[in-house]
Amino acid sequence: MNATYLSIRKLVLISATLLLASCGGSGDDFTDGNGLLNTVVPQSFDGVFLDAATFAQRCQVPRTGTNPATNQPYPDIQGATLDENNFLRSYSKDTYLWYNEIIDRDPGLFSNPLTYFDLLKTTAITPTGQNKDKFHFTYDSNDWFLLSQSGVSPGYGAQWVFLSTTPPRKVLVAYTEPGSAATVVGLSRGAEILEVDGVDIDGNTQADIDTINGGLFPSGTGESHTFTVRDLGAAITRSITMTSANITSAPVQNVQVLNTPTGSVGYMVFNDHIATAEEALVDAVNQLNIAPGIDDLVLDLRYNGGGFLAIASQLAYMIAGKVPTAGRNFETMQFNDKHPITNPVTGNPLSPTPFHDLTLGFGNLPQNQALPTLNLSRVYVITGAGTCSASEAIINGLLGVDVEVIQIGSTTCGKPYGFYPTDNCGTTYFTIQFRGVNQKGFGDYTDGFSPANQAGAGTLVQGCSIADDFTALLGDPAEGRLAATLVYRDTQTCPAATGFFQPGVSNRRTTLPVAEVIVPKSPWLTNRIMQQP
């Protein structure tokens, strides 16, 4: 992953600007290291843009071997950094949603394609003061493949949350992955981190901050770090040591049925739209369907930033069933005005994303198996500021076919946009290429979805604004947001609003009120991801 992701992840603790090393081509921009000029496709910087395919996979350092994503040899041929930059320039000019807002800069002046790519986006600011484009990033292609297919990334299996990012800091555990180092040492939701490798969490020197970041966010596997923690409800602290490993995300957790005086309520936590979620969601729906079944569903998306849009469509179908979704669209993509009828990435005629009623073969399930359904006319969705993109598409898609959505929590991140991951020379590029609208043509929720009793926020949805609660485990009926859901289900009343409107989780740099949190996640998991054929 690149320096942009590292800065997003680490700046939750660092107020001073850091110069982080970036990855990319090495050596002289236009020579092979022996002073010989590499082959560069000629293109003048004169406002003319050759087709991006002219420069595709012409690499300063071509890869060899087999691409794990395709099981085919890498297509790279010898080229130069200028070829890589020209590819990015032409590709952005053709497919970027706001292509006419890019400042055209000479690609020959940049020695690193990642630096050049960072500039190939709009600089516009929204009325709320946010960057219009908050999700423009890159990944090492092999890292992206591992993460997108199985959720594998180095860590301990603990998802941190930051209730305050400047002293006095407050860092808690939001949830843990089953079988990970975090669960082995007994960490669970609500545990507070007090020290990292002997440094107080409020340490404010650069050395302290580096130590804290290094411990919380190991850069690779096999790193051992020691933490002083206070477990939820504990009066004393304890010391634990964890060693980082490749952690496989369990995207669906806490599936259960809550028996209430007014009926059976299904509950599940859905954290990531990754490939393995397809099978996990099918298993969860089958579990909830065991006789006598459920009367309502609480879908907990508070930490789900997005991922594959097709999985969002599958889940929406499994919730609603065949009757409201038959022949209707989950989401329709709208590209820039150069491509009103054709998808510029696939070359295919534009067609809406349906409510997928069959398996798509993302993980271990074979393709074209019928998906199970809950056949519910309403769903309760728990949200937070980290509920983003593909997760928001579930809300919007269901509203588009008149499924009643009740939102409990706080305003979502506001991202009706998406893209196709595009590999070139070992880097996968993510540039916003389309907006999504539902069956009713609605997709204007750039300030997020907000519970109806939250004034001055985003697009209002029936429900209650409730702060995140770290005094109880996820799935515990006493946990604040779930408790409010159950009360609202019976009484249609809300407690006093305590959630906050805090858009743009990945770009926050300031201390947050206790009622809202920063949940640092990979940028690709805060987006709609489309698969290329």
Side-chain angles (χ1 to χ4, degrees), residues 56-218:
Q57 309 302 344
R58 303 182 69 89
C59 311
Q60 171 75 14
V61 182
R63 294 165 291 177
T64 59
T66 301
N67 185 342
T70 62
N71 290 319
Q72 300 294 320
Y74 285 111
D76 302 1
I77 61 175
Q78 187 64 59
T81 299
L82 182 57
D83 292 317
E84 296 184 37
N85 288 348
N86 272 322
F87 169 80
L88 295 173
R89 177 174 178 259
S90 292
Y91 190 72
S92 299
K93 185 68 172 179
D94 183 41
T95 70
Y96 187 59
L97 183 60
W98 304 291
Y99 70 91
N100 55 353
E101 297 179 27
I102 297 175
I103 298 173
D104 192 19
R105 296 175 172 88
D106 187 347
L109 300 179
F110 296 86
S111 62
N112 190 320
L114 301 185
T115 301
Y116 187 57
F117 178 74
D118 283 345
L119 298 173
L120 296 175
K121 63 179 182 179
T122 179
T123 59
I125 302 297
T126 69
T128 61
Q130 300 180 79
N131 291 325
K132 183 175 179 179
D133 185 348
K134 299 173 290 194
F135 301 94
H136 187 83
F137 64 98
T138 66
Y139 250 91
D140 174 88
S141 292
N142 286 333
D143 288 347
W144 152 247
F145 174 75
L146 289 173
L147 182 60
S148 65
Q149 294 303 303
S150 61
V152 173
S153 58
Y156 316 108
Q159 177 64 61
W160 313 119
V161 295
F162 296 81
L163 270 66
S164 176
T165 59
T166 58
R169 298 190 183 100
K170 197 171 184 66
V171 181
L172 305 178
V173 175
Y175 63 88
T176 60
E177 301 293 351
S180 65
T183 58
V184 168
V185 299
L187 279 184
S188 63
R189 179 176 174 82
E192 183 176 3
I193 306 302
L194 303 174
E195 293 183 359
V196 179
D197 289 332
V199 174
D200 188 278
I201 199 69
D202 286 335
N204 217 22
T205 68
Q206 191 61 58
D208 289 343
I209 291 170
D210 290 344
T211 298
I212 295 168
N213 278 324
L216 290 174
F217 302 110

Side-chain angles (χ1 to χ4, degrees), residues 252 255-257 268 278-294 297 315 318-319 359 365 369-374:
V252 180
V255 181
Q256 59 182 302
V257 176
M268 73 167 83
E278 181 182 51
E279 182 176 14
L281 289 169
V282 168
D283 290 344
V285 171
N286 282 329
Q287 180 179 335
L288 296 175
N289 264 336
I290 294 175
I294 59 173
L297 173 67
L315 178 55
M318 287 189 280
I319 291 170
T359 58
L365 294 179
Q369 288 188 338
L371 293 173
T373 59
L374 295 171

Side-chain angles (χ1 to χ4, degrees), residues 282 314 357-360 365-372:
V282 168
Q314 288 178 310
D357 59 359
L358 301 173
T359 58
L360 299 173
L365 294 179
Q367 294 182 2
N368 299 321
Q369 288 188 338
L371 293 173

